Amino acid sequence: EGFDLTPKQLLQVNAMKTGKHFIEIEQVANFINEFEYPIYFLDYETAMSVIPPFDGTSPYQQIPFQFSLHILDEPGAALRHEMYLHKENSDSTLELSKHLAKHIGNKGSIVTWNANFEKSCNTRMGIIHPEFEDFYEKVNERVVDLAIPFQQNWFVDHRFLGSYSIKKVLPVLIPELSYKDLD
C-alpha cells in the first residue's frame, strides 16, 4: 500500500493478494480468433560463438540449428510434427531453410513465443541465403506472438510472478509441460 504503481504492477499485486487470476476473455478471444488455419507452431533452437563460425555470421549471433514445427491443419485435426536438427559442423541455415520451406505452406498463422526472436532468425537466414529472403519475409508477415495476451495483461496469474516468460506461464497453465522436469 502507498506505492505508486503502474496499472500492470497493480494487476500483479492484486493477483498476488487475492491468489486469483484475471482474464480479459474478450481480448483473448479476439486475439485467438485472428489465427488462420493451418496453424503452424514454430520454435528455433540456436547456438552462438564469440568467433563467427561461418561466412555471413557475426560474433555472438544466434544461429538456428534446429526447428520444431507443429501443424494444426484445421479445428479438431490431429497435430502433426515436423522438425530439423543439423548435426554436421557446417552452416546449418541452408539445410534448415530448405526443410522449413518444405513444411510451411503459403497460408496460415505461424505462432511463436516471443516473435521478435524467430522473426530476427528468419531475417538473418534470408540475408545469409538470398534465395530464401522472399520466403522468410512472407513467413514473418504471418508470425503471431503467443506471448501477447500475457504481455498485454489480458491474462494475469499470481503464479506468473509478474513475468510473461514461457518458463513462468507454461507450468501454471499446463503443469504437465513444466520445464522443471526436463534433463
Side-chain angles (χ1 to χ4, degrees), residues 52-89:
F54 312 112
D55 290 344
T57 62
S58 306
Y60 299 108
Q61 178 180 344
Q62 293 186 317
I63 302 168
F65 64 87
Q66 178 181 12
F67 75 76
S68 174
L69 184 69
H70 287 83
I71 306 162
L72 186 62
D73 291 306
E74 58 188 38
L79 197 61
R80 297 185 291 123
H81 184 245
E82 300 292 342
M83 63 158 294
Y84 175 78
L85 173 61
H86 193 77
K87 297 179 183 177
E88 290 85 42
N89 185 18

PDB file of all heavy atoms in Angstrom, residues 52-89:
ATOM      1  N   PRO A  52      32.866 -15.967 -35.258  1.00  0.00           N
ATOM      2  CA  PRO A  52      31.851 -16.347 -36.247  1.00  0.00           C
ATOM      3  C   PRO A  52      32.216 -17.672 -36.927  1.00  0.00           C
ATOM      4  O   PRO A  52      33.292 -17.785 -37.517  1.00  0.00           O
ATOM      5  CB  PRO A  52      31.873 -15.186 -37.248  1.00  0.00           C
ATOM      6  CG  PRO A  52      32.469 -14.047 -36.495  1.00  0.00           C
ATOM      7  CD  PRO A  52      33.435 -14.653 -35.523  1.00  0.00           C
ATOM      8  N   PRO A  53      31.360 -18.670 -36.835  1.00  0.00           N
ATOM      9  CA  PRO A  53      31.718 -19.994 -37.343  1.00  0.00           C
ATOM     10  C   PRO A  53      31.585 -20.157 -38.857  1.00  0.00           C
ATOM     11  O   PRO A  53      32.211 -21.033 -39.433  1.00  0.00           O
ATOM     12  CB  PRO A  53      30.741 -20.923 -36.616  1.00  0.00           C
ATOM     13  CG  PRO A  53      29.571 -20.061 -36.310  1.00  0.00           C
ATOM     14  CD  PRO A  53      30.100 -18.677 -36.107  1.00  0.00           C
ATOM     15  N   PHE A  54      30.768 -19.305 -39.499  1.00  0.00           N
ATOM     16  CA  PHE A  54      30.506 -19.474 -40.919  1.00  0.00           C
ATOM     17  C   PHE A  54      30.446 -18.117 -41.606  1.00  0.00           C
ATOM     18  O   PHE A  54      30.180 -17.102 -40.958  1.00  0.00           O
ATOM     19  CB  PHE A  54      29.174 -20.216 -41.144  1.00  0.00           C
ATOM     20  CG  PHE A  54      29.035 -21.446 -40.298  1.00  0.00           C
ATOM     21  CD1 PHE A  54      28.112 -21.507 -39.279  1.00  0.00           C
ATOM     22  CD2 PHE A  54      29.843 -22.557 -40.518  1.00  0.00           C
ATOM     23  CE1 PHE A  54      27.990 -22.625 -38.486  1.00  0.00           C
ATOM     24  CE2 PHE A  54      29.733 -23.688 -39.731  1.00  0.00           C
ATOM     25  CZ  PHE A  54      28.800 -23.726 -38.715  1.00  0.00           C
ATOM     26  N   ASP A  55      30.646 -18.114 -42.913  1.00  0.00           N
ATOM     27  CA  ASP A  55      30.515 -16.876 -43.683  1.00  0.00           C
ATOM     28  C   ASP A  55      29.124 -16.294 -43.472  1.00  0.00           C
ATOM     29  O   ASP A  55      28.131 -17.027 -43.395  1.00  0.00           O
ATOM     30  CB  ASP A  55      30.721 -17.142 -45.178  1.00  0.00           C
ATOM     31  CG  ASP A  55      32.164 -17.480 -45.517  1.00  0.00           C
ATOM     32  OD1 ASP A  55      33.048 -17.222 -44.674  1.00  0.00           O
ATOM     33  OD2 ASP A  55      32.403 -17.998 -46.624  1.00  0.00           O
ATOM     34  N   GLY A  56      29.072 -14.975 -43.358  1.00  0.00           N
ATOM     35  CA  GLY A  56      27.792 -14.294 -43.211  1.00  0.00           C
ATOM     36  C   GLY A  56      27.308 -14.216 -41.772  1.00  0.00           C
ATOM     37  O   GLY A  56      26.220 -13.712 -41.525  1.00  0.00           O
ATOM     38  N   THR A  57      28.084 -14.734 -40.821  1.00  0.00           N
ATOM     39  CA  THR A  57      27.677 -14.668 -39.419  1.00  0.00           C
ATOM     40  C   THR A  57      28.578 -13.707 -38.654  1.00  0.00           C
ATOM     41  O   THR A  57      29.648 -13.332 -39.124  1.00  0.00           O
ATOM     42  CB  THR A  57      27.703 -16.061 -38.753  1.00  0.00           C
ATOM     43  OG1 THR A  57      29.036 -16.577 -38.776  1.00  0.00           O
ATOM     44  CG2 THR A  57      26.768 -17.026 -39.458  1.00  0.00           C
ATOM     45  N   SER A  58      28.135 -13.315 -37.470  1.00  0.00           N
ATOM     46  CA  SER A  58      28.833 -12.333 -36.639  1.00  0.00           C
ATOM     47  C   SER A  58      29.118 -12.924 -35.262  1.00  0.00           C
ATOM     48  O   SER A  58      28.489 -13.905 -34.867  1.00  0.00           O
ATOM     49  CB  SER A  58      27.946 -11.094 -36.449  1.00  0.00           C
ATOM     50  OG  SER A  58      27.533 -10.578 -37.677  1.00  0.00           O
ATOM     51  N   PRO A  59      30.035 -12.293 -34.503  1.00  0.00           N
ATOM     52  CA  PRO A  59      30.255 -12.759 -33.129  1.00  0.00           C
ATOM     53  C   PRO A  59      28.952 -12.718 -32.327  1.00  0.00           C
ATOM     54  O   PRO A  59      28.166 -11.783 -32.459  1.00  0.00           O
ATOM     55  CB  PRO A  59      31.268 -11.760 -32.566  1.00  0.00           C
ATOM     56  CG  PRO A  59      31.956 -11.185 -33.752  1.00  0.00           C
ATOM     57  CD  PRO A  59      30.920 -11.174 -34.848  1.00  0.00           C
ATOM     58  N   TYR A  60      28.736 -13.728 -31.547  1.00  0.00           N
ATOM     59  CA  TYR A  60      27.577 -13.848 -30.653  1.00  0.00           C
ATOM     60  C   TYR A  60      26.229 -13.887 -31.384  1.00  0.00           C
ATOM     61  O   TYR A  60      25.184 -13.751 -30.759  1.00  0.00           O
ATOM     62  CB  TYR A  60      27.559 -12.744 -29.590  1.00  0.00           C
ATOM     63  CG  TYR A  60      28.766 -12.767 -28.700  1.00  0.00           C
ATOM     64  CD1 TYR A  60      29.745 -11.793 -28.810  1.00  0.00           C
ATOM     65  CD2 TYR A  60      28.933 -13.775 -27.766  1.00  0.00           C
ATOM     66  CE1 TYR A  60      30.874 -11.821 -27.987  1.00  0.00           C
ATOM     67  CE2 TYR A  60      30.054 -13.812 -26.942  1.00  0.00           C
ATOM     68  CZ  TYR A  60      31.013 -12.836 -27.059  1.00  0.00           C
ATOM     69  OH  TYR A  60      32.117 -12.865 -26.251  1.00  0.00           O
ATOM     70  N   GLN A  61      26.243 -14.057 -32.683  1.00  0.00           N
ATOM     71  CA  GLN A  61      24.991 -14.159 -33.429  1.00  0.00           C
ATOM     72  C   GLN A  61      24.349 -15.519 -33.153  1.00  0.00           C
ATOM     73  O   GLN A  61      25.011 -16.547 -33.178  1.00  0.00           O
ATOM     74  CB  GLN A  61      25.258 -14.023 -34.929  1.00  0.00           C
ATOM     75  CG  GLN A  61      24.009 -14.168 -35.763  1.00  0.00           C
ATOM     76  CD  GLN A  61      24.319 -14.018 -37.244  1.00  0.00           C
ATOM     77  OE1 GLN A  61      25.376 -13.535 -37.618  1.00  0.00           O
ATOM     78  NE2 GLN A  61      23.394 -14.432 -38.073  1.00  0.00           N
ATOM     79  N   GLN A  62      23.071 -15.508 -32.881  1.00  0.00           N
ATOM     80  CA  GLN A  62      22.361 -16.760 -32.641  1.00  0.00           C
ATOM     81  C   GLN A  62      22.033 -17.395 -33.990  1.00  0.00           C
ATOM     82  O   GLN A  62      21.319 -16.808 -34.797  1.00  0.00           O
ATOM     83  CB  GLN A  62      21.103 -16.509 -31.814  1.00  0.00           C
ATOM     84  CG  GLN A  62      21.461 -16.061 -30.406  1.00  0.00           C
ATOM     85  CD  GLN A  62      20.261 -15.935 -29.511  1.00  0.00           C
ATOM     86  OE1 GLN A  62      19.236 -15.411 -29.912  1.00  0.00           O
ATOM     87  NE2 GLN A  62      20.391 -16.403 -28.290  1.00  0.00           N
ATOM     88  N   ILE A  63      22.561 -18.583 -34.193  1.00  0.00           N
ATOM     89  CA  ILE A  63      22.409 -19.280 -35.465  1.00  0.00           C
ATOM     90  C   ILE A  63      21.491 -20.482 -35.253  1.00  0.00           C
ATOM     91  O   ILE A  63      21.820 -21.397 -34.499  1.00  0.00           O
ATOM     92  CB  ILE A  63      23.780 -19.749 -35.989  1.00  0.00           C
ATOM     93  CG1 ILE A  63      24.717 -18.547 -36.151  1.00  0.00           C
ATOM     94  CG2 ILE A  63      23.620 -20.509 -37.303  1.00  0.00           C
ATOM     95  CD1 ILE A  63      26.156 -18.917 -36.389  1.00  0.00           C
ATOM     96  N   PRO A  64      20.331 -20.491 -35.919  1.00  0.00           N
ATOM     97  CA  PRO A  64      19.427 -21.641 -35.779  1.00  0.00           C
ATOM     98  C   PRO A  64      20.061 -22.920 -36.323  1.00  0.00           C
ATOM     99  O   PRO A  64      20.640 -22.927 -37.404  1.00  0.00           O
ATOM    100  CB  PRO A  64      18.212 -21.249 -36.616  1.00  0.00           C
ATOM    101  CG  PRO A  64      18.279 -19.761 -36.719  1.00  0.00           C
ATOM    102  CD  PRO A  64      19.742 -19.430 -36.739  1.00  0.00           C
ATOM    103  N   PHE A  65      19.974 -23.984 -35.540  1.00  0.00           N
ATOM    104  CA  PHE A  65      20.448 -25.288 -35.992  1.00  0.00           C
ATOM    105  C   PHE A  65      19.333 -26.333 -35.903  1.00  0.00           C
ATOM    106  O   PHE A  65      19.495 -27.464 -36.344  1.00  0.00           O
ATOM    107  CB  PHE A  65      21.664 -25.753 -35.169  1.00  0.00           C
ATOM    108  CG  PHE A  65      21.369 -25.991 -33.713  1.00  0.00           C
ATOM    109  CD1 PHE A  65      20.894 -27.220 -33.270  1.00  0.00           C
ATOM    110  CD2 PHE A  65      21.552 -24.972 -32.788  1.00  0.00           C
ATOM    111  CE1 PHE A  65      20.614 -27.430 -31.918  1.00  0.00           C
ATOM    112  CE2 PHE A  65      21.278 -25.179 -31.432  1.00  0.00           C
ATOM    113  CZ  PHE A  65      20.812 -26.413 -31.007  1.00  0.00           C
ATOM    114  N   GLN A  66      18.187 -25.934 -35.331  1.00  0.00           N
ATOM    115  CA  GLN A  66      17.072 -26.863 -35.171  1.00  0.00           C
ATOM    116  C   GLN A  66      15.773 -26.082 -35.216  1.00  0.00           C
ATOM    117  O   GLN A  66      15.701 -24.946 -34.742  1.00  0.00           O
ATOM    118  CB  GLN A  66      17.179 -27.586 -33.833  1.00  0.00           C
ATOM    119  CG  GLN A  66      16.037 -28.544 -33.552  1.00  0.00           C
ATOM    120  CD  GLN A  66      16.173 -29.234 -32.191  1.00  0.00           C
ATOM    121  OE1 GLN A  66      16.978 -28.847 -31.364  1.00  0.00           O
ATOM    122  NE2 GLN A  66      15.365 -30.250 -31.978  1.00  0.00           N
ATOM    123  N   PHE A  67      14.760 -26.701 -35.824  1.00  0.00           N
ATOM    124  CA  PHE A  67      13.413 -26.156 -35.674  1.00  0.00           C
ATOM    125  C   PHE A  67      12.467 -27.273 -35.304  1.00  0.00           C
ATOM    126  O   PHE A  67      12.681 -28.437 -35.633  1.00  0.00           O
ATOM    127  CB  PHE A  67      12.928 -25.396 -36.916  1.00  0.00           C
ATOM    128  CG  PHE A  67      12.527 -26.246 -38.099  1.00  0.00           C
ATOM    129  CD1 PHE A  67      11.319 -26.932 -38.139  1.00  0.00           C
ATOM    130  CD2 PHE A  67      13.360 -26.331 -39.203  1.00  0.00           C
ATOM    131  CE1 PHE A  67      10.948 -27.688 -39.236  1.00  0.00           C
ATOM    132  CE2 PHE A  67      13.005 -27.086 -40.302  1.00  0.00           C
ATOM    133  CZ  PHE A  67      11.800 -27.772 -40.320  1.00  0.00           C
ATOM    134  N   SER A  68      11.435 -26.882 -34.576  1.00  0.00           N
ATOM    135  CA  SER A  68      10.320 -27.762 -34.264  1.00  0.00           C
ATOM    136  C   SER A  68       9.086 -27.067 -34.801  1.00  0.00           C
ATOM    137  O   SER A  68       8.872 -25.880 -34.547  1.00  0.00           O
ATOM    138  CB  SER A  68      10.214 -27.967 -32.753  1.00  0.00           C
ATOM    139  OG  SER A  68       9.049 -28.718 -32.449  1.00  0.00           O
ATOM    140  N   LEU A  69       8.285 -27.796 -35.564  1.00  0.00           N
ATOM    141  CA  LEU A  69       7.109 -27.217 -36.206  1.00  0.00           C
ATOM    142  C   LEU A  69       5.922 -28.155 -36.006  1.00  0.00           C
ATOM    143  O   LEU A  69       5.882 -29.252 -36.550  1.00  0.00           O
ATOM    144  CB  LEU A  69       7.384 -27.025 -37.702  1.00  0.00           C
ATOM    145  CG  LEU A  69       6.297 -26.355 -38.519  1.00  0.00           C
ATOM    146  CD1 LEU A  69       6.171 -24.880 -38.139  1.00  0.00           C
ATOM    147  CD2 LEU A  69       6.600 -26.476 -40.008  1.00  0.00           C
ATOM    148  N   HIS A  70       4.977 -27.720 -35.171  1.00  0.00           N
ATOM    149  CA  HIS A  70       3.729 -28.458 -35.016  1.00  0.00           C
ATOM    150  C   HIS A  70       2.698 -27.805 -35.935  1.00  0.00           C
ATOM    151  O   HIS A  70       2.640 -26.575 -36.031  1.00  0.00           O
ATOM    152  CB  HIS A  70       3.254 -28.432 -33.566  1.00  0.00           C
ATOM    153  CG  HIS A  70       4.079 -29.301 -32.685  1.00  0.00           C
ATOM    154  ND1 HIS A  70       5.283 -28.895 -32.142  1.00  0.00           N
ATOM    155  CD2 HIS A  70       3.888 -30.571 -32.259  1.00  0.00           C
ATOM    156  CE1 HIS A  70       5.782 -29.875 -31.415  1.00  0.00           C
ATOM    157  NE2 HIS A  70       4.958 -30.907 -31.466  1.00  0.00           N
ATOM    158  N   ILE A  71       1.907 -28.630 -36.607  1.00  0.00           N
ATOM    159  CA  ILE A  71       0.969 -28.131 -37.607  1.00  0.00           C
ATOM    160  C   ILE A  71      -0.434 -28.618 -37.272  1.00  0.00           C
ATOM    161  O   ILE A  71      -0.663 -29.820 -37.090  1.00  0.00           O
ATOM    162  CB  ILE A  71       1.362 -28.620 -39.024  1.00  0.00           C
ATOM    163  CG1 ILE A  71       2.821 -28.242 -39.317  1.00  0.00           C
ATOM    164  CG2 ILE A  71       0.410 -28.051 -40.076  1.00  0.00           C
ATOM    165  CD1 ILE A  71       3.441 -29.020 -40.455  1.00  0.00           C
ATOM    166  N   LEU A  72      -1.362 -27.661 -37.189  1.00  0.00           N
ATOM    167  CA  LEU A  72      -2.775 -27.957 -36.978  1.00  0.00           C
ATOM    168  C   LEU A  72      -3.504 -27.518 -38.247  1.00  0.00           C
ATOM    169  O   LEU A  72      -3.679 -26.329 -38.493  1.00  0.00           O
ATOM    170  CB  LEU A  72      -3.305 -27.209 -35.749  1.00  0.00           C
ATOM    171  CG  LEU A  72      -4.726 -27.529 -35.323  1.00  0.00           C
ATOM    172  CD1 LEU A  72      -4.867 -29.012 -34.937  1.00  0.00           C
ATOM    173  CD2 LEU A  72      -5.128 -26.648 -34.154  1.00  0.00           C
ATOM    174  N   ASP A  73      -3.888 -28.496 -39.062  1.00  0.00           N
ATOM    175  CA  ASP A  73      -4.455 -28.192 -40.374  1.00  0.00           C
ATOM    176  C   ASP A  73      -5.835 -27.549 -40.303  1.00  0.00           C
ATOM    177  O   ASP A  73      -6.174 -26.702 -41.128  1.00  0.00           O
ATOM    178  CB  ASP A  73      -4.512 -29.458 -41.237  1.00  0.00           C
ATOM    179  CG  ASP A  73      -3.121 -29.933 -41.628  1.00  0.00           C
ATOM    180  OD1 ASP A  73      -2.359 -29.119 -42.178  1.00  0.00           O
ATOM    181  OD2 ASP A  73      -2.791 -31.101 -41.360  1.00  0.00           O
ATOM    182  N   GLU A  74      -6.622 -27.957 -39.326  1.00  0.00           N
ATOM    183  CA  GLU A  74      -7.981 -27.423 -39.164  1.00  0.00           C
ATOM    184  C   GLU A  74      -8.446 -27.709 -37.750  1.00  0.00           C
ATOM    185  O   GLU A  74      -7.858 -28.556 -37.057  1.00  0.00           O
ATOM    186  CB  GLU A  74      -8.926 -28.043 -40.187  1.00  0.00           C
ATOM    187  CG  GLU A  74      -9.002 -29.542 -40.110  1.00  0.00           C
ATOM    188  CD  GLU A  74      -9.792 -30.148 -41.259  1.00  0.00           C
ATOM    189  OE1 GLU A  74      -9.686 -29.663 -42.392  1.00  0.00           O
ATOM    190  OE2 GLU A  74     -10.519 -31.122 -40.985  1.00  0.00           O
ATOM    191  N   PRO A  75      -9.520 -27.040 -37.309  1.00  0.00           N
ATOM    192  CA  PRO A  75     -10.009 -27.296 -35.949  1.00  0.00           C
ATOM    193  C   PRO A  75     -10.324 -28.778 -35.756  1.00  0.00           C
ATOM    194  O   PRO A  75     -10.932 -29.415 -36.619  1.00  0.00           O
ATOM    195  CB  PRO A  75     -11.282 -26.447 -35.869  1.00  0.00           C
ATOM    196  CG  PRO A  75     -11.104 -25.391 -36.900  1.00  0.00           C
ATOM    197  CD  PRO A  75     -10.312 -26.020 -38.009  1.00  0.00           C
ATOM    198  N   GLY A  76      -9.862 -29.339 -34.657  1.00  0.00           N
ATOM    199  CA  GLY A  76     -10.142 -30.734 -34.337  1.00  0.00           C
ATOM    200  C   GLY A  76      -9.227 -31.741 -35.011  1.00  0.00           C
ATOM    201  O   GLY A  76      -9.302 -32.931 -34.719  1.00  0.00           O
ATOM    202  N   ALA A  77      -8.374 -31.294 -35.919  1.00  0.00           N
ATOM    203  CA  ALA A  77      -7.469 -32.217 -36.606  1.00  0.00           C
ATOM    204  C   ALA A  77      -6.365 -32.667 -35.651  1.00  0.00           C
ATOM    205  O   ALA A  77      -6.091 -32.022 -34.639  1.00  0.00           O
ATOM    206  CB  ALA A  77      -6.852 -31.539 -37.836  1.00  0.00           C
ATOM    207  N   ALA A  78      -5.729 -33.771 -36.006  1.00  0.00           N
ATOM    208  CA  ALA A  78      -4.579 -34.243 -35.224  1.00  0.00           C
ATOM    209  C   ALA A  78      -3.402 -33.298 -35.482  1.00  0.00           C
ATOM    210  O   ALA A  78      -3.196 -32.839 -36.604  1.00  0.00           O
ATOM    211  CB  ALA A  78      -4.217 -35.663 -35.633  1.00  0.00           C
ATOM    212  N   LEU A  79      -2.667 -33.022 -34.435  1.00  0.00           N
ATOM    213  CA  LEU A  79      -1.491 -32.167 -34.536  1.00  0.00           C
ATOM    214  C   LEU A  79      -0.357 -32.973 -35.168  1.00  0.00           C
ATOM    215  O   LEU A  79      -0.054 -34.076 -34.738  1.00  0.00           O
ATOM    216  CB  LEU A  79      -1.097 -31.693 -33.134  1.00  0.00           C
ATOM    217  CG  LEU A  79      -0.181 -30.504 -33.006  1.00  0.00           C
ATOM    218  CD1 LEU A  79      -0.793 -29.256 -33.630  1.00  0.00           C
ATOM    219  CD2 LEU A  79       0.116 -30.242 -31.531  1.00  0.00           C
ATOM    220  N   ARG A  80       0.231 -32.420 -36.223  1.00  0.00           N
ATOM    221  CA  ARG A  80       1.376 -33.071 -36.878  1.00  0.00           C
ATOM    222  C   ARG A  80       2.659 -32.383 -36.422  1.00  0.00           C
ATOM    223  O   ARG A  80       2.641 -31.212 -36.080  1.00  0.00           O
ATOM    224  CB  ARG A  80       1.278 -32.952 -38.402  1.00  0.00           C
ATOM    225  CG  ARG A  80       0.087 -33.628 -39.000  1.00  0.00           C
ATOM    226  CD  ARG A  80       0.089 -33.592 -40.529  1.00  0.00           C
ATOM    227  NE  ARG A  80      -0.134 -32.242 -41.050  1.00  0.00           N
ATOM    228  CZ  ARG A  80       0.689 -31.598 -41.880  1.00  0.00           C
ATOM    229  NH1 ARG A  80       1.829 -32.157 -42.272  1.00  0.00           N
ATOM    230  NH2 ARG A  80       0.402 -30.393 -42.315  1.00  0.00           N
ATOM    231  N   HIS A  81       3.769 -33.113 -36.462  1.00  0.00           N
ATOM    232  CA  HIS A  81       5.057 -32.536 -36.063  1.00  0.00           C
ATOM    233  C   HIS A  81       6.103 -32.773 -37.140  1.00  0.00           C
ATOM    234  O   HIS A  81       6.258 -33.876 -37.640  1.00  0.00           O
ATOM    235  CB  HIS A  81       5.540 -33.145 -34.746  1.00  0.00           C
ATOM    236  CG  HIS A  81       6.804 -32.523 -34.246  1.00  0.00           C
ATOM    237  ND1 HIS A  81       7.982 -33.214 -34.141  1.00  0.00           N
ATOM    238  CD2 HIS A  81       7.072 -31.257 -33.850  1.00  0.00           C
ATOM    239  CE1 HIS A  81       8.922 -32.403 -33.680  1.00  0.00           C
ATOM    240  NE2 HIS A  81       8.396 -31.217 -33.505  1.00  0.00           N
ATOM    241  N   GLU A  82       6.795 -31.708 -37.498  1.00  0.00           N
ATOM    242  CA  GLU A  82       7.943 -31.769 -38.389  1.00  0.00           C
ATOM    243  C   GLU A  82       9.100 -31.123 -37.655  1.00  0.00           C
ATOM    244  O   GLU A  82       8.897 -30.256 -36.801  1.00  0.00           O
ATOM    245  CB  GLU A  82       7.671 -31.021 -39.703  1.00  0.00           C
ATOM    246  CG  GLU A  82       6.503 -31.550 -40.492  1.00  0.00           C
ATOM    247  CD  GLU A  82       6.720 -32.939 -41.069  1.00  0.00           C
ATOM    248  OE1 GLU A  82       7.889 -33.387 -41.160  1.00  0.00           O
ATOM    249  OE2 GLU A  82       5.727 -33.598 -41.415  1.00  0.00           O
ATOM    250  N   MET A  83      10.303 -31.539 -37.987  1.00  0.00           N
ATOM    251  CA  MET A  83      11.463 -30.942 -37.332  1.00  0.00           C
ATOM    252  C   MET A  83      12.683 -31.089 -38.215  1.00  0.00           C
ATOM    253  O   MET A  83      12.682 -31.862 -39.167  1.00  0.00           O
ATOM    254  CB  MET A  83      11.729 -31.578 -35.977  1.00  0.00           C
ATOM    255  CG  MET A  83      12.079 -33.053 -36.048  1.00  0.00           C
ATOM    256  SD  MET A  83      12.982 -33.669 -34.629  1.00  0.00           S
ATOM    257  CE  MET A  83      14.508 -32.820 -34.741  1.00  0.00           C
ATOM    258  N   TYR A  84      13.694 -30.329 -37.866  1.00  0.00           N
ATOM    259  CA  TYR A  84      15.002 -30.472 -38.500  1.00  0.00           C
ATOM    260  C   TYR A  84      16.050 -30.238 -37.432  1.00  0.00           C
ATOM    261  O   TYR A  84      15.936 -29.305 -36.633  1.00  0.00           O
ATOM    262  CB  TYR A  84      15.192 -29.462 -39.639  1.00  0.00           C
ATOM    263  CG  TYR A  84      16.583 -29.536 -40.215  1.00  0.00           C
ATOM    264  CD1 TYR A  84      16.935 -30.552 -41.096  1.00  0.00           C
ATOM    265  CD2 TYR A  84      17.557 -28.611 -39.835  1.00  0.00           C
ATOM    266  CE1 TYR A  84      18.219 -30.651 -41.591  1.00  0.00           C
ATOM    267  CE2 TYR A  84      18.843 -28.702 -40.334  1.00  0.00           C
ATOM    268  CZ  TYR A  84      19.176 -29.724 -41.210  1.00  0.00           C
ATOM    269  OH  TYR A  84      20.451 -29.819 -41.700  1.00  0.00           O
ATOM    270  N   LEU A  85      17.064 -31.101 -37.405  1.00  0.00           N
ATOM    271  CA  LEU A  85      18.192 -30.964 -36.494  1.00  0.00           C
ATOM    272  C   LEU A  85      19.459 -31.108 -37.317  1.00  0.00           C
ATOM    273  O   LEU A  85      19.702 -32.160 -37.922  1.00  0.00           O
ATOM    274  CB  LEU A  85      18.153 -32.037 -35.400  1.00  0.00           C
ATOM    275  CG  LEU A  85      19.368 -32.106 -34.476  1.00  0.00           C
ATOM    276  CD1 LEU A  85      19.558 -30.794 -33.716  1.00  0.00           C
ATOM    277  CD2 LEU A  85      19.236 -33.276 -33.516  1.00  0.00           C
ATOM    278  N   HIS A  86      20.259 -30.056 -37.355  1.00  0.00           N
ATOM    279  CA  HIS A  86      21.516 -30.072 -38.102  1.00  0.00           C
ATOM    280  C   HIS A  86      22.590 -30.704 -37.239  1.00  0.00           C
ATOM    281  O   HIS A  86      22.831 -30.252 -36.117  1.00  0.00           O
ATOM    282  CB  HIS A  86      21.908 -28.637 -38.490  1.00  0.00           C
ATOM    283  CG  HIS A  86      22.989 -28.583 -39.502  1.00  0.00           C
ATOM    284  ND1 HIS A  86      22.752 -28.823 -40.836  1.00  0.00           N
ATOM    285  CD2 HIS A  86      24.313 -28.322 -39.394  1.00  0.00           C
ATOM    286  CE1 HIS A  86      23.880 -28.705 -41.505  1.00  0.00           C
ATOM    287  NE2 HIS A  86      24.853 -28.401 -40.658  1.00  0.00           N
ATOM    288  N   LYS A  87      23.243 -31.737 -37.751  1.00  0.00           N
ATOM    289  CA  LYS A  87      24.196 -32.496 -36.948  1.00  0.00           C
ATOM    290  C   LYS A  87      25.649 -32.324 -37.387  1.00  0.00           C
ATOM    291  O   LYS A  87      26.544 -32.747 -36.683  1.00  0.00           O
ATOM    292  CB  LYS A  87      23.827 -33.982 -36.980  1.00  0.00           C
ATOM    293  CG  LYS A  87      22.466 -34.270 -36.368  1.00  0.00           C
ATOM    294  CD  LYS A  87      22.130 -35.736 -36.450  1.00  0.00           C
ATOM    295  CE  LYS A  87      20.747 -36.005 -35.900  1.00  0.00           C
ATOM    296  NZ  LYS A  87      20.371 -37.408 -36.038  1.00  0.00           N
ATOM    297  N   GLU A  88      25.872 -31.747 -38.560  1.00  0.00           N
ATOM    298  CA  GLU A  88      27.238 -31.571 -39.033  1.00  0.00           C
ATOM    299  C   GLU A  88      27.838 -30.274 -38.515  1.00  0.00           C
ATOM    300  O   GLU A  88      27.127 -29.367 -38.111  1.00  0.00           O
ATOM    301  CB  GLU A  88      27.279 -31.550 -40.579  1.00  0.00           C
ATOM    302  CG  GLU A  88      26.986 -32.896 -41.225  1.00  0.00           C
ATOM    303  CD  GLU A  88      25.493 -33.138 -41.378  1.00  0.00           C
ATOM    304  OE1 GLU A  88      24.774 -32.195 -41.761  1.00  0.00           O
ATOM    305  OE2 GLU A  88      25.048 -34.259 -41.101  1.00  0.00           O
ATOM    306  N   ASN A  89      29.149 -30.171 -38.574  1.00  0.00           N
ATOM    307  CA  ASN A  89      29.839 -28.943 -38.198  1.00  0.00           C
ATOM    308  C   ASN A  89      29.964 -28.067 -39.447  1.00  0.00           C
ATOM    309  O   ASN A  89      31.033 -27.934 -40.038  1.00  0.00           O
ATOM    310  CB  ASN A  89      31.224 -29.244 -37.615  1.00  0.00           C
ATOM    311  CG  ASN A  89      31.896 -27.983 -37.100  1.00  0.00           C
ATOM    312  OD1 ASN A  89      31.240 -26.974 -36.874  1.00  0.00           O
ATOM    313  ND2 ASN A  89      33.196 -28.045 -36.937  1.00  0.00           N
TER     314      ASN A  89
END
